[in-house]
Amino acid sequence: MDLLSKYIEKYKSLNQYYQKSDTEFFKNIREKSLEKLERFNIPIEKNEKYKYTKIESVLKNEYEFILDEKNVNINLNDYFQCQIKDLDTHVILLSNGIFYKNNKNKLSTPQNVIICSIKEASIKYPEIINKYYNSLSQENDDFFSNLNSLFANDGLFVYVPENVKISKALQIINITHGFENKNLFTRNLFILEENTELSVIFCNHTLNNSNTFIINVTESIVGENASFKCYVIQNEHNQSIVNNFHFIDLAKNSSVNSLELLLHGKILRNNIFVKLHEENSNVNLYGLGLADKEQIFENYTLIDHIAENCKSFELYKNILDDFAVCSFEGKIIVEKNAQKTTAYQSNKNICLTSDAKMRTKPQLEIYADDVKCSHGSTVGQLDTEALFYLQQRGINYKEASQMLMFAFANDVLNYIDVEALKNKISDLINSRLRGELSDKCNCLIGCGK
Amino acid sequence: MLIIKDLHAEINGKEILKGINLKINAGEVHAIMGPNGSGKSTLSAVLAGNQNFKVTQGEITYQGKNLLTQTIDERANEGIFLSFQYPVEIPGVSMINFLKTAINSQRKHNNLRPFSSAEFLKYMREMQNLVELKSDLANREVNVGFSGGEKKRNEIFQMAMLKPKLAILDETDSGLDIDALRIVANGVNKLKTPKSSTIVITHYQRLLDFIVPDIVHILYDGKIVKTAGKELALELEEKGYNWIIEGVDNQINK
């Protein structure tokens, strides 16, 4: 049985479950997603985007689904304790992607900010959920994002009302746990109304090395004059496959910074879809991957310049060791009316071994005539002249290589503007490049037990 | 200090050095001059241990030990310093981090405890003053955005920090105006001790007005074809290389 048929069968078996708990709105979304999926070309590898991932062959196991909190019988508070000194945040706990209500840290966010589960929001604030949930992802034709819309049952909902600026970052700790061979469909919805500010830090952790496949969809709706910063730290384990989608919509004069740190996982794939649909908005996307062993890291970005005077900037870097395989595919579309667009894209990669493989594919589609666009990608080794220079000053080869690698990586970290987080990550990457962190260390960020 | 015997070296199968013999005693300043392509920079690269060049014959003894079996950093920590003709820009690596790592590598090699940050900064400031280097250079990334003159002064600054026993100045005068040349030369002279030796590689006599050599060698076609006192440099300036080259070529033809 092919992958799609397996999922459809699974959906049918869960139908009763969904019928019981879904509002009409969600029933409708599932039906539409199912229709879309049924029209999908199988196998998925025929699809250009997944040509090299071989994701279908990896996903041969029968997965169990975790769709709600019923199976959670552990106290997450016992498992989490952030060890980053001076990192002052509002901590939100997610259990397998589902909002954890018994968080002992009471949130001290401004009163009218809403932070709760999507399920709860769909009952309490149906007008908001029905307007925004799936509003960005529904247009997407990716197999896995549609699969998420078909199965996702709950997730995190954050609503920042007009003129509210949250100075401390929301630190979202998602702890993945539970049985072997699980498939999670996690979902986040961020809504920033006019004139707001929000920073979020996603820290993903696992409590065991069980086989896990996570499909996450995050939708961020960023209103006029709003500023949104999103840091994602992906530090999974050897049996963890993550396909992460972030859909971002920017209104007039708004800005978004997104930074993804890919540190550990069997397959980590990040897809970002950005729509600059009103003038003067500004998006910056950064990514850093440190891949070794047989890890596969992929970044896919699509930036759609719809309105004029918008800016986009992308910087993605990878260091590949051993047999690692990474890819970057970045598409920029400048539509006919998007005059005065500025769009820059840069992808730089270092392959430390001849077995490591990097694929990079910049794509520009420009339909306006008054734009500044550029892209550049490089795949190379450490600069031998720089190595010689450092060694000639008495620094041994190993240390000289580490200095160059760290300098290469640090370029991306400079864009983290939560100082405590930046310092911690900088230290961690330094030790990772020195080989001081063992493979068994799942918790690179150093929090949790 | 340094004895080179019948040294042959090649790059990509092309022989550049064709039998160099050279002896440098402690405290001496040797100038190596010669036309373009004669092998001057190759000689400095081979001494520093650059792997692009392959030594095919001959030997180099430095401080009584075989130099050719030592790694690049071992040679550096044993006191060989190469001032690069084209110092490399290293984005993302700060001068402070670079120098601190270098100094502490050397101290470790000499069984000394590493400098603390405070000790290091104090030492660095002293050396900056010695070579008249503006303090903001030290806060920048290694050679990134430095002008040609700043890069060369930065080399001499690093030399001051590392206090080499054998300093090789590869075309240090190229790209320097006369004031910068004087500052660089002053730095080199201040750092000179009776126990340290210097090899000055240059095209022109100009630098040798400031750094006065004990012995001048002329390198041509991979061999040292003439060795004399400092007056040889003056003679060269006057007559050019041709009179020597012609002499050598004539001898070969005979």
Side-chain angles (χ1 to χ4, degrees):
Chain A
M1 206 194 302
D2 66 58
L3 190 66
L4 177 61
S5 312
K6 257 196 257 179
Y7 275 115
I8 289 176
E9 192 170 87
K10 185 80 184 174
Y11 177 67
K12 284 179 180 152
S13 74
L14 287 165
N15 204 17
Q16 257 193 328
Y17 170 86
Y18 287 124
Q19 287 294 336
K20 227 192 288 169
S21 65
D22 274 356
T23 61
E24 281 306 311
F25 174 74
F26 279 90
K27 279 178 192 159
N28 195 14
I29 286 175
R30 288 190 218 286
E31 270 164 35
K32 279 188 181 159
S33 307
L34 184 63
E35 272 172 38
K36 254 180 138 173
L37 284 167
E38 281 172 334
R39 289 198 305 267
F40 210 88
N41 277 342
I42 292 292
I44 294 146
E45 270 113 54
K46 272 193 183 164
N47 188 301
E48 178 82 21
K49 277 195 272 179
Y50 293 99
K51 200 168 152 190
Y52 300 109
T53 322
K54 307 267 178 281
I55 199 158
E56 200 166 348
S57 54
V58 183
L59 299 176
K60 55 189 169 229
N61 301 302
E62 294 294 329
Y63 289 112
E64 291 291 331
F65 288 20
I66 300 178
L67 298 168
D68 53 37
E69 264 193 298
K70 275 179 208 137
N71 295 322
V72 182
N73 46 16
I74 58 166
N75 184 351
L76 283 193
N77 293 306
D78 293 345
Y79 286 91
F80 177 73
Q81 200 180 5
C82 186
Q83 290 173 357
I84 306 179
K85 252 195 249 166
D86 311 321
L87 183 63
D88 190 13
T89 56
H90 302 289
V91 174
I92 294 169
L93 294 179
L94 304 181
S95 157
N96 290 328
I98 296 158
F99 188 75
Y100 186 70
K101 291 191 191 74
N102 303 323
N103 185 353
K104 68 173 180 197
N105 303 292
K106 289 287 163 262
L107 287 170
S108 56
T109 43
Q111 235 179 11
N112 36 12
V113 172
I114 305 167
I115 297 173
C116 65
S117 77
I118 288 178
K119 204 92 209 171
E120 187 183 336
S122 70
I123 295 157
K124 282 192 184 162
Y125 317 101
E127 68 291 351
I128 302 177
I129 291 290
N130 297 1
K131 185 174 172 192
Y132 293 112
Y133 183 89
N134 213 34
S135 64
L136 303 180
S137 62
Q138 65 178 353
E139 296 162 32
N140 197 267
D141 56 5
D142 190 285
F143 179 80
F144 294 99
S145 73
N146 279 293
L147 209 54
N148 179 290
S149 297
L150 177 66
F151 287 106
N153 192 42
D154 207 346
L156 174 67
F157 174 70
V158 176
Y159 179 82
V160 187
E162 265 178 43
N163 301 322
V164 173
K165 296 185 173 163
I166 306 179
S167 53
K168 274 201 271 182
L170 300 186
Q171 189 181 2
I172 301 158
I173 320 285
N174 181 21
I175 296 175
T176 312
H177 57 96
F179 40 82
E180 187 69 24
N181 290 341
K182 59 189 170 296
N183 202 166
L184 305 179
F185 301 91
T186 60
R187 194 90 192 189
N188 307 299
L189 179 59
F190 295 100
I191 296 161
L192 284 80
E193 293 284 10
E194 254 182 76
N195 217 5
T196 53
E197 269 179 37
L198 176 68
S199 300
V200 299
I201 303 166
F202 276 97
C203 306
N204 296 317
H205 296 295
T206 42
L207 293 186
N208 50 33
N209 277 8
S210 64
N211 213 319
T212 308
F213 177 35
I214 302 174
I215 303 171
N216 175 64
V217 170
T218 301
E219 291 175 284
S220 301
I221 291 105
V222 184
E224 248 181 81
N225 283 318
S227 157
F228 182 49
K229 288 175 185 155
C230 180
Y231 306 101
V232 179
I233 299 154
Q234 289 193 318
N235 188 39
E236 305 279 338
H237 56 75
N238 291 338
Q239 297 305 325
S240 167
I241 301 171
V242 181
N243 201 356
N244 187 31
F245 295 83
H246 193 178
F247 298 93
I248 306 169
D249 184 85
L250 290 92
K252 208 161 128 187
N253 297 326
S254 62
S255 78
V256 169
N257 280 12
S258 157
L259 187 143
E260 279 157 347
L261 212 55
L262 284 65
L263 297 172
H264 197 167
K266 185 174 185 177
I267 300 177
L268 302 180
R269 185 179 164 92
N270 277 294
N271 310 267
I272 301 189
F273 299 84
V274 180
K275 270 186 191 286
L276 298 149
H277 85 264
E278 285 182 354
E279 57 185 24
N280 289 322
S281 52
N282 176 8
V283 65
N284 300 310
L285 306 181
Y286 311 103
L288 173 66
L290 306 181
D292 60 7
K293 309 281 169 4
E294 287 174 338
Q295 302 186 73
I296 298 174
F297 293 176
E298 303 193 328
N299 279 298
Y300 176 88
T301 66
L302 173 62
I303 298 179
D304 192 358
H305 281 266
I306 301 167
E308 58 183 22
N309 271 317
C310 294
K311 287 182 185 150
S312 66
F313 175 83
E314 292 175 78
L315 175 65
Y316 281 84
K317 287 188 162 191
N318 290 293
I319 299 178
L320 295 80
D321 203 351
D322 304 325
F323 298 90
V325 178
C326 294
S327 72
F328 172 79
E329 189 176 345
K331 193 168 181 174
I332 300 170
I333 302 173
V334 181
E335 297 193 10
K336 216 165 109 194
N337 295 327
Q339 300 294 3
K340 311 274 180 207
T341 287
T342 309
Y344 294 117
Q345 183 191 86
S346 168
N347 172 231
K348 295 178 180 170
N349 310 285
I350 290 179
C351 290
L352 298 174
T353 65
S354 55
D355 294 311
K357 272 196 196 118
M358 178 71 214
R359 292 191 181 87
T360 174
K361 189 171 161 193
Q363 287 170 285
L364 301 184
E365 272 180 35
I366 302 171
Y367 302 101
D369 51 19
D370 184 12
V371 301
K372 276 193 253 177
C373 275
S374 76
H375 66 82
S377 48
T378 56
V379 181
Q381 287 77 44
L382 291 176
D383 180 353
T384 49
E385 282 186 37
L387 273 175
F388 177 63
Y389 191 82
L390 294 173
Q391 286 172 275
Q392 212 298 308
R393 299 305 186 242
I395 301 167
N396 66 41
Y397 176 81
K398 200 176 159 205
E399 191 148 7
S401 317
Q402 281 156 358
M403 281 174 90
L404 293 182
M405 282 191 276
F406 185 68
F408 179 82
N410 206 34
D411 190 20
V412 176
L413 303 187
N414 283 332
Y415 293 101
I416 301 177
D417 54 8
V418 181
E419 201 62 25
L421 183 68
K422 177 166 128 183
N423 295 341
K424 181 72 181 176
I425 288 177
S426 185
D427 287 351
L428 287 165
I429 287 186
N430 207 351
S431 11
R432 163 78 185 264
L433 293 174
R434 283 173 181 281
E436 284 164 13
L437 297 169
S438 78
D439 321 13
K440 282 177 192 161
C441 180
N442 290 323
C443 191
L444 192 65
I445 197 76
C447 45
K449 279 186 183 173
Chain B
M1 166 155 324
L2 183 77
I3 301 162
I4 302 177
K5 272 187 197 156
D6 192 32
L7 182 70
H8 291 249
E10 58 173 46
I11 183 165
N12 301 328
K14 189 176 179 244
E15 189 169 55
I16 309 282
L17 300 182
K18 301 173 180 175
I20 302 264
N21 290 291
L22 186 66
K23 184 170 184 240
I24 296 174
N25 297 315
E28 288 178 349
V29 176
H30 287 234
I32 296 179
M33 303 181 76
N36 287 329
S38 56
K40 303 188 299 293
S41 289
T42 302
L43 179 62
S44 64
V46 168
L47 286 171
N50 190 328
Q51 302 299 311
N52 292 335
F53 299 91
K54 204 174 140 195
V55 174
T56 50
Q57 199 180 316
E59 55 189 61
I60 305 176
T61 312
Y62 171 67
Q63 293 183 325
K65 284 184 207 154
N66 182 3
L67 185 71
L68 293 174
T69 55
Q70 297 175 28
T71 60
I72 306 164
D73 52 300
E74 277 167 4
R75 297 177 196 206
N77 287 327
E78 283 291 325
I80 291 183
F81 180 90
L82 173 62
S83 169
F84 284 66
Q85 185 179 1
Y86 305 108
V88 186
E89 297 192 8
I90 312 181
V93 177
S94 72
M95 278 297 296
I96 290 191
N97 184 22
F98 161 56
L99 282 172
K100 197 176 172 202
T101 312
I103 284 280
N104 283 334
S105 298
Q106 192 189 54
R107 289 181 66 86
K108 192 180 170 193
H109 183 83
N110 296 329
N111 294 321
L112 296 167
R113 64 163 182 82
F115 268 150
S116 70
S117 291
E119 286 168 328
F120 170 76
L121 288 173
K122 183 168 172 278
Y123 178 62
M124 190 174 80
R125 242 173 267 127
E126 283 168 20
M127 293 306 118
Q128 263 178 300
N129 291 335
L130 188 76
V131 296
E132 301 172 57
L133 188 84
K134 275 183 284 173
S135 61
D136 71 314
L137 282 190
N139 297 325
R140 283 155 60 177
E141 294 171 9
V142 179
N143 292 323
V144 177
F146 286 30
S147 70
E150 283 172 334
K151 281 181 183 167
K152 294 299 173 75
R153 282 164 69 174
N154 191 22
E155 294 292 289
I156 303 306
F157 168 53
Q158 292 169 42
M159 180 175 155
M161 295 288 288
L162 294 164
K163 304 249 178 312
K165 292 177 187 131
L166 175 64
I168 305 160
L169 311 179
D170 189 6
E171 307 265 6
T172 294
D173 49 341
S174 69
L176 287 186
D177 61 42
I178 195 76
D179 293 323
L181 187 68
R182 193 179 297 124
I183 292 172
V184 163
N186 278 344
V188 173
N189 290 331
K190 276 187 217 164
L191 296 168
K192 189 88 196 56
T193 72
K195 281 183 185 168
S196 68
S197 310
T198 311
I199 298 175
V200 184
I201 292 173
T202 181
H203 274 286
Y204 304 110
Q205 191 266 337
R206 197 174 62 160
L207 178 65
L208 304 179
D209 284 341
F210 299 100
I211 303 171
V212 181
D214 300 301
I215 294 164
V216 177
H217 307 274
I218 294 171
L219 190 63
Y220 172 62
D221 194 25
K223 282 181 184 165
I224 288 173
V225 293
K226 197 167 176 64
T227 297
K230 64 185 169 204
E231 66 286 350
L232 179 61
L234 290 168
E235 210 176 343
L236 268 181
E237 185 77 357
E238 208 176 291
K239 298 183 184 168
Y241 287 113
N242 276 346
W243 64 281
I244 290 177
I245 294 168
E246 278 163 20
V248 174
D249 289 344
N250 283 343
Q251 269 180 351
I252 294 168
N253 291 338
K254 273 176 203 168

